[in-house]
Amino acid sequence: DKGKYAHYTLKEINDQRLTVVHAGRQDEATMEKFCNILASAKDIYITGSGTSYHSALIFKHMLARFGKIRAETVMSSESQYALASMDSNSVLVAISQSGETADVLDSVRLAKNQGANVLSIVNVTTSSLARASDAYLSTNCGPEIGVAATKSFTGQLALIYNVTDRLCKNCLETEKAEFAVAVENIIANQASIIKVAEQMKDASDIYLLGRSLHYPIALEGALKLKELAYVHAEGIAAGELKHGPLALMEKNTFVIMINPRDATFNDTISNAHEIKARGATVIGISDRKDDVYDYWIEIPHLKEEAYYPIVEVIPLQILAYQLALAKNADPDYPRNLAKSVTVR
Ligand code: F6R
């Protein structure tokens, strides 16, 4: 039931005020089993498709930075070419909202055939993936009806943070309620996002740039814009700008910089200047205003900077939704796409 909302997608974006908190709650025994299998693995592969693959990228980063644990990410659709050297000491972590994505289930089969353990993060706990796993964590965010993944993504991130925090023995700042408040704030103050959507209505190319943890969010924002608003959008690691993409920057190009105040801030600001000098329109998603931004979408400041992805993706979801409306596209049922991709 979408209740008072015009679309399921809008409802599900709003649901995130609560689901980012619920997702983190997990029964103790399952959490312990999941973390023990992960911590004792010889090698770890993390897989998923689409949005769930973007969670995989963040998981890898979190494990490396805070857990000093090395993991490799593999897109599920590429797994048949990449997952050939597993054994009984390997672990595959599969991330999937539906738990029914054919590519993901294929990667699980491949891992099992090589004797590896399978862990998963799912939203549908009765799914094939949950049943095939040695242990699974539930994102616990209720049914997601809109074709575009929204609350299941932030639910996956909340779990990833909890697992990481456990593996690093509580090295993350503990105030998890903090990001729930931040999500609430962004949802309550959408005027700047709607203004940007109006500006972008006729854009043919939108680029999203970020470094470190913000790069997967750039990819995720680009995916949302493609799916919902049918516009060419591309996520780029900001440091790669000078290695090619700078050649694309000109008047009428829109560039969204995902740039909260963390260790990546100054370098990304420098990139913004390089882009602006070529006449492109620069939009900053940040907790700090800067003159280089033509438009500033404010996000709240967080004490734990590792949590920014969960907060900064919200304005991108809202932007894609608003742009879909501005272009008369149905945000709940994008053309050519299915909610659960059970075919190869
Ligand atoms: C993006 C989207 C898809 C899914 C992908 C994986 O908004 O909905 O990219 O993320 O098809 O689906 P699950 O997570 O169900 O395996």
Side-chain angles (χ1 to χ4, degrees):
D1 179 22
K2 58 188 179 208
K4 63 179 181 182
Y5 297 100
H7 297 96
Y8 284 108
T9 306
L10 183 62
K11 172 186 178 287
E12 288 158 7
I13 290 171
N14 277 270
D15 282 350
Q16 292 173 114
R17 288 183 278 205
L18 296 173
T19 55
V20 291
V21 179
H22 292 166
R25 293 193 197 130
Q26 210 61 218
D27 94 83
E28 178 55 29
T30 313
M31 193 63 163
E32 193 177 335
K33 184 172 178 197
F34 189 101
C35 290
N36 284 345
I37 294 177
L38 203 55
S40 54
K42 175 181 63 87
D43 45 26
I44 301 171
Y45 297 85
I46 314 175
T47 196
S49 298
T51 293
S52 297
Y53 175 68
H54 300 147
S55 289
L57 294 173
I58 293 196
F59 202 0
K60 169 184 160 163
H61 206 111
M62 292 297 292
L63 288 176
R65 196 197 298 184
F66 296 100
K68 306 282 178 251
I69 295 172
R70 187 167 53 87
E72 224 180 277
T73 49
V74 182
M75 276 174 203
S76 297
S77 59
E78 288 283 319
S79 61
Q80 58 180 309
Y81 318 110
L83 286 187
S85 60
M86 303 184 94
D87 60 31
S88 58
N89 296 313
S90 310
V91 169
L92 179 74
V93 183
I95 306 179
S96 172
Q97 187 283 130
S98 64
E100 300 297 346
T101 302
D103 290 329
V104 178
L105 296 176
D106 280 352
S107 66
V108 166
R109 220 164 289 127
L110 256 168
K112 288 198 143 185
N113 286 343
Q114 296 173 84
N117 283 297
V118 174
L119 298 175
S120 64
I121 293 179
V122 295
N123 193 38
V124 181
T125 53
T126 52
S127 60
S128 309
L129 177 58
R131 277 183 274 126
S133 305
D134 295 291
Y136 67 85
L137 299 177
S138 162
T139 47
N140 232 342
C141 56
E144 190 178 66
I145 311 289
V147 165
T150 52
K151 64 178 177 176
S152 63
F153 178 64
T154 48
Q156 289 164 355
L157 296 187
L159 277 179
I160 285 165
Y161 291 138
N162 271 4
V163 169
T164 307
D165 195 35
R166 210 176 158 110
L167 291 172
C168 71
K169 307 201 165 42
N170 304 108
C171 67
L172 296 176
E173 289 274 345
T174 47
E175 270 184 83
K176 303 232 166 63
E178 182 189 39
F179 54 64
V181 174
V183 170
E184 176 94 47
N185 267 332
I186 295 167
I187 288 172
N189 298 299
Q190 296 184 26
S192 61
I193 307 173
I194 292 170
K195 200 159 114 197
V196 171
E198 279 162 10
Q199 295 300 313
M200 282 184 169
K201 209 175 140 209
D202 301 313
S204 56
D205 305 283
I206 302 170
Y207 298 95
L208 297 94
L209 269 62
R211 290 164 182 265
S212 181
L213 284 171
H214 317 302
Y215 171 50
I217 299 301
L219 298 176
E220 173 59 10
L223 183 57
K224 291 289 93 96
L225 287 164
K226 286 178 224 181
E227 283 181 290
L228 295 183
Y230 309 151
V231 61
H232 168 235
E234 203 177 317
I236 297 173
E240 288 297 295
L241 193 65
K242 59 184 176 300
H243 299 297
L246 195 54
L248 295 166
M249 301 301 154
E250 56 180 353
K251 222 165 164 282
N252 302 325
T253 324
F254 286 85
V255 185
I256 301 174
M257 316 291 301
I258 304 165
N259 196 24
R261 238 180 316 161
D262 65 7
T264 69
F265 181 81
N266 289 333
D267 286 341
T268 304
I269 283 285
S270 302
N271 294 133
H273 283 285
E274 289 156 7
I275 291 163
K276 190 157 170 146
R278 272 79 187 177
T281 303
V282 180
I283 296 120
I285 296 183
S286 182
D287 52 327
R288 179 191 267 179
K289 196 173 179 174
D290 194 282
D291 286 345
V292 74
Y293 302 138
D294 296 294
Y295 298 93
W296 176 46
I297 296 175
E298 182 177 7
I299 54 171
H301 179 68
L302 300 184
K303 257 188 272 152
E304 177 51 72
E305 57 181 55
Y307 293 154
Y308 273 117
I310 246 180
V311 171
E312 68 205 16
V313 76
I314 311 278
L316 294 168
Q317 295 169 344
I318 296 170
L319 180 64
Y321 173 80
Q322 289 294 342
L323 200 52
L325 295 188
K327 297 173 91 168
N328 277 321
D330 182 344
D332 284 346
Y333 304 103
R335 66 189 181 201
N336 310 340
L337 300 177
K339 178 68 182 159
S340 181
V341 186
T342 54
V343 291
R344 238 153 274 134

